[in-house]
Amino acid sequence: MQKITPIIGLQWGDEGKGKGVARIASHLNKKDLIVRFQGGNNAGHTIWHKEKGKQRCYVFHLIPSGVFGVAQIHLGAGMVINPGALKVEASTIPKNIPFLKRISVSPHAVLTIPTHLMLDSISEQKKGKNKIGSTGKGISPSYTDLTLRRALRVGDVFYPDFKEKYKNLSAEHKKTLQNVFGYKISAQELKEKEKIFFEGINFLKTLRIIDSAEIVTAAIKGNHKVIAEGAQGALLDIRFGHYPFVTSSHTIAAGVATGLGIPPSFVGSSIGIMKAYVTKVGEGPFPTELGGKKSAVWCRDKKVVDEKNKFPNPNPNSKDEWEQGVALRRFGHEIGATTGRLRRTGWLDLPLLRYAMEMNNSRELVLTKLDVLNGFKKIKVCTSYIINGKKTNKIPFDLSRVDVKPVYKTFPVWSGELSDYGKKLPREAFTYVKFLEKELNAKIIYVGTGPEEDHVIERYWN
Ligand code: GDP
Ligand code: IMO
Ligand code: MG
């Protein structure tokens, strides 16, 4: 029997899952299946797709990244879906891609309604310095309503009492906004948002609605491949990430079973996606951050233009680590795909990667953005931590309450650009990749050498 292959981000999101999934999806057939099992449009999965010889960039938030392939695509039970956003996203896909015939949605997925977005942004604002740095897409309030057992789900839209249920939930939210946060919604603002929401509901009604378990089980039993596209990353998991600086769903491979309603035995080992360095959007601990706290505060408070003014040409070999981090951000275009925020940058952190790989049973890895290190003379990799004077690989219960000193190993970087070496890796890059495979005890199947779909070196794929 085929097993589901989860594709999981092993860091704090934005590892390049979209491109990885699209690449793997290009090997799939018509009856194979790509599913999302958690999260909502807080995700931003970028892919470059070639049309008529020209590369075009797409960012997917809800629709699985394999949409340009031929496989079936499914929005699973564990997701939260903003129907207006889904309709807009669907409209960005070129008309010659007949994806509407291949897409289906679970009736169990939770609906994000307009007041969820307001609750998300107002509650973040009120937290002030203690904010999580949410994407503001209403994800946490949507999942909160699920556990409060009052959420609206996709299957509800087909019943005559849907509008009434919607009004009741929206009224509850309005009360909370006013009584708890002192925020009164303008009727006009809500009206405009509701118009988009109900247009989205009408669009949703035209799609195939089917239980995730049914479609996944049929594919597996028919010996077809099933890929589960993770959103966010293992370190943002609601329970095993750096709580409370996490998202509101189970982003790890175990979430595939609960997010689709299938037995855990259906889930095979995962393919982990990792960047050649680390980035993070939002608040929370980051042991290997270049520039430490200075970087965290800068990325929280400043915009892209501020950074371009201060560092028109950041030097990757500067003595100031903060500037090196800025160079990494500039070279890697590390700007949030969903929010436009500056992503915090740092060196690769092996203790965190091992933690994430164990949780996800990652046997194979995709290493992305190696090309971003072009121009650096030396790069560092954190191989272990020193905590309370002792060397350790163990991730403490609360990373933000201990003083963590990373232990680094330094690697020389190739001269010129990775693309100068064609489909071969320069010696220095090869040494780095081999080192990672040994340290992480896994195969690196793809190495990303640029953002476009062809910018990849395939190492073990048949
Ligand atoms: P995701 O959320 O994990 O799908 O990642 P994002 O799409 O948010 O961010 C990854 C970014 O890196 C996108 O802009 C991709 O186009 C880009 N990217 C992916 N792989 C590579 C790579 O190997 N090299 C470079 N330079 N960019 C890449
Ligand atoms: P993809 O799938 C990076 C982060 C937010 C914030 C925290 C909670 O593109 O990798 P939320 O809106 O979920 O309540 O925000 O999680 N976050 C992401 N960071 N990539 C993502 O998705 C993210 N989705 C949420 O920045 O710190
Ligand atoms: Mg992203």
Side-chain angles (χ1 to χ4, degrees):
M1 190 174 91
Q2 284 281 351
K3 294 241 182 189
I4 302 172
T5 305
I7 301 194
I8 306 287
L10 295 177
Q11 294 153 329
W12 281 294
D14 303 326
E15 299 89 350
K17 297 175 291 295
K19 181 178 160 186
V21 168
R23 183 82 192 178
I24 290 160
S26 68
H27 294 276
L28 299 183
N29 297 318
K30 267 187 180 166
K31 293 197 171 168
D32 296 333
L33 179 64
I34 306 171
V35 296
R36 280 270 309 264
F37 58 94
Q38 47 73 229
N41 63 335
N42 47 349
H45 296 179
T46 314
I47 63 171
W48 286 81
H49 180 66
K50 205 184 251 169
E51 282 156 31
K52 297 182 190 148
K54 258 194 169 172
Q55 291 282 347
R56 250 192 81 183
C57 181
Y58 295 85
V59 182
F60 294 114
H61 304 283
L62 291 162
I63 297 175
S65 304
V67 67
F68 290 112
V70 294
Q72 304 299 307
I73 50 181
H74 179 71
L75 278 63
M79 289 185 73
V80 290
I81 298 177
N82 174 332
L86 180 63
K87 182 171 185 257
V88 170
E89 192 169 320
S91 71
T92 65
I93 299 170
K95 297 277 172 291
N96 62 336
I97 309 289
F99 74 99
L100 289 174
K101 292 192 187 131
R102 296 188 279 119
I103 196 171
S104 61
V105 185
S106 161
H108 298 102
V110 167
L111 292 171
T112 295
I113 73 170
T115 35
H116 281 138
L117 275 78
M118 295 165 182
L119 280 168
D120 197 7
S121 47
I122 294 293
S123 67
E124 278 279 272
Q125 260 177 40
K126 293 281 171 183
K127 284 189 191 124
K129 282 217 158 118
N130 296 325
K131 70 177 180 180
I132 305 298
S134 108
T135 57
K137 301 291 177 189
I139 305 301
S140 163
S142 305
Y143 279 118
T144 301
D145 277 344
L146 178 70
T147 48
L148 285 176
R149 292 158 291 185
R150 64 179 192 184
L152 296 175
R153 299 179 297 163
V154 169
D156 289 323
V157 309
F158 297 97
Y159 289 90
D161 62 354
F162 177 66
K163 274 222 160 127
E164 192 191 325
K165 279 188 155 179
Y166 168 82
K167 272 195 190 141
N168 291 342
L169 184 59
S170 187
E172 287 294 322
H173 290 166
K174 279 187 241 171
K175 262 195 253 164
T176 308
L177 283 164
Q178 181 139 17
N179 300 344
V180 178
F181 298 109
Y183 177 82
K184 191 160 176 358
I185 303 176
S186 102
Q188 184 58 28
E189 185 189 354
L190 190 58
K191 207 171 148 201
E192 282 162 21
K193 295 202 160 117
E194 285 183 337
K195 182 171 176 285
I196 298 169
F197 174 76
F198 282 104
E199 283 169 4
I201 294 292
N202 288 339
F203 171 69
L204 198 55
K205 281 181 169 168
T206 65
L207 303 180
R208 181 179 176 214
I209 307 295
I210 180 169
D211 279 3
S212 299
E214 190 180 333
I215 192 168
V216 169
T217 307
I220 289 183
K221 296 211 163 142
N223 212 22
H224 306 297
K225 292 200 172 86
V226 181
I227 300 287
E229 173 176 349
Q232 291 78 53
L235 306 178
L236 287 170
D237 182 87
I238 179 71
R239 200 181 300 275
F240 301 105
H242 298 145
Y243 192 86
F245 304 102
V246 291
T247 189
S248 302
S249 64
H250 280 299
T251 58
I252 57 176
V256 174
T258 54
L260 300 173
I262 45 99
S265 59
F266 283 15
V267 184
S269 60
S270 72
I271 299 179
I273 315 271
M274 58 181 276
K275 267 185 205 175
Y277 50 94
V278 187
T279 63
K280 178 173 186 145
V281 257
E283 307 303 310
F286 186 167
T288 59
E289 183 161 18
L290 275 156
K293 210 169 169 127
K294 200 169 167 191
S295 156
V297 171
W298 176 261
C299 294
R300 185 190 66 202
D301 296 342
K302 301 292 179 187
K303 303 229 168 335
V304 179
V305 309
D306 303 322
E307 186 159 281
K308 285 198 171 150
N309 285 337
K310 182 161 175 70
F311 294 102
N313 295 303
N315 176 6
N317 303 303
S318 164
K319 287 212 168 71
D320 180 354
E321 287 218 319
W322 178 39
E323 186 173 352
Q324 287 195 292
V326 175
L328 212 44
R329 183 156 50 247
R330 188 73 50 82
F331 298 174
H333 303 286
E334 297 297 354
I335 312 295
T338 301
T339 57
R341 289 180 289 175
L342 296 174
R343 291 176 182 157
R344 298 157 66 190
T345 48
W347 298 124
L348 197 60
D349 184 328
L350 297 186
L352 281 179
L353 268 176
R354 290 189 197 104
Y355 170 74
M357 286 174 68
E358 268 169 35
M359 269 194 295
N360 290 294
N361 188 18
S362 306
R363 301 275 174 80
E364 294 176 317
L365 299 170
V366 173
L367 176 69
T368 65
K369 306 193 93 162
L370 193 60
D371 55 297
V372 174
L373 304 173
N374 291 338
F376 280 79
K377 287 203 173 80
K378 283 183 198 151
I379 50 164
K380 289 191 198 169
V381 177
C382 165
T383 52
S384 59
Y385 296 153
I386 294 181
I387 299 176
N388 294 332
K390 283 200 187 117
K391 204 168 170 182
T392 178
N393 267 300
K394 192 169 157 44
I395 306 301
F397 162 69
D398 187 347
L399 257 179
S400 41
R401 287 201 254 186
V402 284
D403 184 28
V404 178
K405 280 201 182 60
V407 176
Y408 287 112
K409 185 172 164 63
T410 302
F411 287 83
V413 176
W414 47 94
S415 60
E417 312 213 332
L418 273 191
S419 54
D420 301 339
Y421 299 80
K423 288 284 173 195
K424 278 203 161 160
L425 287 173
R427 186 173 43 81
E428 295 82 353
F430 189 72
T431 307
Y432 179 66
V433 169
K434 280 303 215 192
F435 169 80
L436 294 179
E437 285 189 323
K438 185 156 176 272
E439 285 288 314
L440 299 171
N441 192 22
K443 285 179 184 172
I444 293 180
I445 55 171
Y446 294 135
V447 177
T449 56
E452 294 180 15
E453 51 189 344
D454 303 336
H455 294 159
V456 66
I457 295 178
E458 302 203 359
R459 297 189 65 241
Y460 292 94
W461 196 270
N462 303 313

